[in-house]
Amino acid sequence: MAFGVTKRLVFYCIIATLGSVIYGWEVGMLNIIFSMRSTYGVRFGTFTNNGKGEFVATPSKATRESIITPMFTFGCVFGSILAMSLMDRIGRTKPLALGSFIYTIGSLIQTFSNTIVVFCIGRFIAGIACGVTMVVSPVYIAEITPKNRRGAMGLLFNFNLQAGFFFASIADTLCLKLIKGEAQWRTAVGCQLIPAVLFMTLIWFGPETPRYLLMKNQDEKALDVLAKVREKSKNDQEVIEEYTDMRDKLKAEVTDGVVRWGQLFTNKFYLYRIALCCILQFLHMLVGVNAINYYSSQIYKDYLNIDAAKWGSWLVVINNLFVVVFSIPALKYVEKAGRRKILVLGALVLAICMFLIFLLCLILDKTGHAVFGVLCVICTYIYSVAYGWSWGSTVYVWQSEIFPLRIRSKANAIAMMFQYAGSVLVTGSVSILMKYLKYYTFLIFMAMATIAFIFSLLCIKETKGLSLEDMENLYSIDKKVNPKLRGDQDIKRDIDNAFDIKKC
């Protein structure tokens, strides 16, 4: 039984992934907005006029940027906590709708702010919204997609995330080049209202997932939604088979209800999976992607001697365009290659790229030959494309698949908190690290990518082709610690061994 990709499935997945568009937009916009020295920089105290018509960095620039940047991520942590309680209570689509509304409020506050405090409050509120949507969206996609297409549809999440980066960079670049005065940065920030309003409008067209409806004993409605997404009659034999298999396994799985917090951290079966995803998400950020996302335009200026005012923003646009374009083939090949192989090879490429970026910056610094600057820019492009192909997409796909329904909302939210913790660590420190360590900072990210390579090689199991209900028997530890997987013969053997006098 192998369903294809239907128009409705793609439409519903695109709606859900608008949550990743707003996340990508919010993260991507600061890269170029930080370059608006005479407007944004003066307003928020990162640049000042030296009296010669030049805008130079203030002594507190690194500190201010280290406050502004992670405020969004702090909000994401709170949003993840909120998502935990919402997903099991009101479903998948309603938290996405709530997130779109909260994000719009945060965007408006940022657009009309006049002080760094108000701007940070707006970013914090926007972060709460994205914390909700980044937890819920991958789960929504995994729960409505057939197992043979789950990887490709999951990559839509990353594709739209990268699209958010691209559209933010091109909108901000146009504002930088075409608009003067306060309207320059306010228009650039206000452009994020475009995806926010679009998301807030379209999310109401998305149905609830069949698996959540089954969990709430709305069996008939679950069958109707499944048939609708598959674009077949609910009497179709394949739909009935998928529904019956899904229903029987889920009913058995959630017999005891949703897992409580105490069970979550005392049951080795749950704890092992949560630990894997938490480490995976933490490394997901420590490989250094946000150093490129937030500070690439400054890297081009400070280490590669590229005129940031003239070329910096356009280089960011080209970088994001390459990532979007080269993410398209990944939609086709993820089901063939599998998740584990992509993570392993991706981490290896990221480590190599970070080392080359460091090496080329070092050679350029010692020789002054511009060709090494060009090669370094190319390496940052390769890094971004490799990240988009691998860790930027596959981490979310693997995480959305690995947890049983009874812990899925709590476990996904906990894992996402570790992504945000890693993001706060990177975004809060990279500006200061680059101030004192300069391009040697890239060696730290190379080391983290190497650790990510070793971890994914040794600890990640392949999930390609398995149904969500069959993930419970993925690791060798599962059968030892999960009673639901132990058959009658296993139990009978344990009882016989327990009363075998010869073994006493």
Side-chain angles (χ1 to χ4, degrees):
M1 180 174 58
F3 288 99
V5 176
T6 64
K7 293 179 181 178
R8 280 180 180 157
L9 175 64
V10 173
F11 178 59
Y12 297 147
C13 288
I14 288 175
I15 291 174
T17 56
L18 286 174
S20 64
V21 172
I22 62 176
Y23 180 88
W25 199 299
E26 182 73 33
V27 172
M29 73 174 185
L30 281 189
N31 195 339
I32 295 172
I33 289 177
F34 278 161
S35 299
M36 297 178 179
R37 301 184 174 195
S38 62
T39 56
Y40 178 90
V42 171
R43 166 62 66 181
F44 295 109
T46 56
F47 286 92
T48 185
N49 193 325
N50 65 359
K52 301 177 181 179
E54 299 173 346
F55 291 90
V56 296
T58 62
S60 61
K61 175 180 178 292
T63 303
R64 289 173 180 268
E65 288 180 351
S66 296
I67 294 172
I68 293 171
T69 305
M71 284 305 298
F72 170 73
T73 311
F74 284 130
C76 287
V77 173
F78 282 87
S80 297
I81 297 171
L82 181 62
M84 277 190 287
S85 60
L86 292 178
M87 285 177 68
D88 287 334
R89 293 181 182 180
I90 64 176
R92 299 357 181 185
T93 55
K94 290 178 182 177
L96 291 174
L98 178 63
S100 66
F101 177 72
I102 295 174
Y103 184 79
T104 301
I105 295 174
S107 300
L108 287 170
I109 292 174
Q110 290 178 77
T111 303
F112 295 102
S113 61
N114 289 312
T115 66
I116 192 171
V117 173
V118 177
F119 188 77
C120 286
I121 290 172
R123 281 183 60 76
F124 181 80
I125 293 173
I128 294 175
C130 288
V132 172
T133 59
M134 292 292 283
V135 170
V136 180
S137 291
V139 173
Y140 181 90
I141 293 169
E143 289 188 351
I144 68 169
T145 305
K147 63 183 180 181
N148 60 309
R149 293 289 183 267
R150 203 169 53 236
M153 290 298 99
L155 284 190
L156 275 178
F157 182 82
N158 175 68
F159 180 81
N160 276 359
L161 179 67
Q162 301 302 331
F165 283 122
F166 171 68
F167 288 122
S169 63
I170 196 168
D172 294 348
T173 297
L174 291 174
C175 291
L176 178 64
K177 302 299 182 183
L178 302 177
I179 302 176
K180 304 297 181 183
E182 280 280 297
Q184 183 186 71
W185 75 266
R186 292 188 189 276
T187 304
V189 174
C191 283
Q192 64 188 314
L193 288 166
I194 298 172
V197 173
L198 184 65
F199 187 27
M200 192 164 49
T201 303
L202 291 180
I203 188 58
W204 299 105
F205 292 94
E208 190 51 78
T209 70
R211 286 176 168 86
Y212 175 78
L213 294 171
L214 285 171
M215 188 173 73
K216 294 300 182 181
N217 296 315
Q218 300 180 40
D219 295 20
E220 189 64 30
K221 191 173 181 180
L223 177 59
D224 290 339
V225 170
L226 184 64
K228 182 179 180 181
V229 175
R230 302 292 182 261
E231 294 185 0
K232 292 179 179 290
S233 166
K234 66 179 183 179
N235 297 318
D236 181 87
Q237 186 61 34
E238 287 188 332
V239 171
I240 292 174
E241 287 179 7
E242 183 184 13
Y243 168 76
T244 303
D245 183 61
M246 184 190 303
R247 181 197 62 195
D248 293 346
K249 290 178 179 178
L250 284 179
K251 294 295 183 181
E253 180 184 322
V254 298
T255 302
D256 301 325
V258 176
V259 171
R260 296 181 179 179
W261 283 107
Q263 296 172 286
L264 203 63
F265 296 107
T266 55
N267 185 302
K268 292 181 180 178
F269 171 73
Y270 303 143
L271 191 59
Y272 186 69
R273 279 167 160 71
I274 292 172
L276 285 176
C277 284
C278 288
I279 295 171
L280 195 67
Q281 284 286 11
F282 197 59
L283 290 173
H284 178 204
M285 291 291 101
L286 294 189
V287 296
V289 63
N290 279 345
I292 304 297
N293 289 339
Y294 283 113
Y295 299 103
S296 60
S297 60
Q298 295 184 48
I299 291 170
Y300 299 149
K301 174 185 177 294
D302 294 341
Y303 307 140
L304 307 182
N305 301 320
I306 294 173
D307 187 345
K310 187 175 182 180
W311 299 108
S313 60
W314 288 116
L315 289 174
V316 174
V317 171
I318 294 170
N319 177 65
N320 292 333
L321 178 61
F322 279 169
V323 174
V324 171
V325 170
F326 285 104
S327 292
I328 296 173
L331 299 173
K332 179 179 179 181
Y333 293 111
V334 65
E335 294 297 349
K336 295 181 180 179
R339 286 58 154 161
R340 179 178 178 274
K341 185 181 294 184
I342 291 174
L343 289 172
V344 171
L345 294 178
L348 180 61
V349 173
L350 296 181
I352 293 171
C353 285
M354 278 299 183
F355 175 73
L356 290 176
I357 291 171
F358 156 75
L359 184 62
L360 290 167
C361 285
L362 176 64
I363 296 173
L364 177 64
D365 187 37
K366 301 301 182 183
T367 65
H369 294 315
V371 65
F372 295 109
V374 174
L375 291 174
C376 191
V377 171
I378 293 173
C379 281
T380 63
Y381 287 2
I382 295 173
Y383 173 92
S384 297
V385 170
Y387 176 83
W389 262 64
S390 57
W391 283 68
S393 55
T394 311
V395 169
Y396 297 112
V397 174
W398 194 82
Q399 178 182 303
S400 68
E401 297 172 330
I402 200 69
F403 296 118
L405 182 64
R406 59 187 177 275
I407 68 167
R408 192 168 294 156
S409 60
K410 291 185 177 70
N412 271 283
I414 291 170
M416 289 301 294
M417 287 182 198
F418 276 79
Q419 176 190 323
Y420 302 137
S423 180
V424 168
L425 181 62
V426 172
T427 56
S429 63
V430 71
S431 183
I432 296 173
L433 285 173
M434 288 183 174
K435 179 179 179 180
Y436 293 103
L437 299 181
K438 297 186 178 180
Y439 44 77
Y440 285 91
T441 303
F442 297 117
L443 289 179
I444 298 175
F445 298 130
M446 181 201 73
M448 292 298 105
T450 303
I451 294 172
F453 166 75
I454 296 171
F455 175 78
S456 54
L457 181 66
L458 298 179
C459 300
I460 301 301
K461 292 282 189 177
E462 185 54 66
T463 58
K464 179 183 71 173
L466 298 176
S467 70
L468 295 181
E469 291 71 40
D470 291 333
M471 294 292 177
E472 297 198 25
N473 198 21
L474 192 62
Y475 285 91
S476 58
I477 191 177
D478 293 341
K479 208 163 186 178
K480 298 177 182 178
V481 299
N482 185 9
K484 292 180 180 293
L485 298 177
R486 308 183 70 199
D488 294 338
Q489 294 300 318
D490 297 322
I491 297 173
K492 183 178 183 301
R493 185 181 64 249
D494 287 351
I495 293 173
D496 290 342
N497 289 338
F499 291 95
D500 189 345
I501 298 176
K502 295 179 180 180
K503 294 185 177 182
C504 295

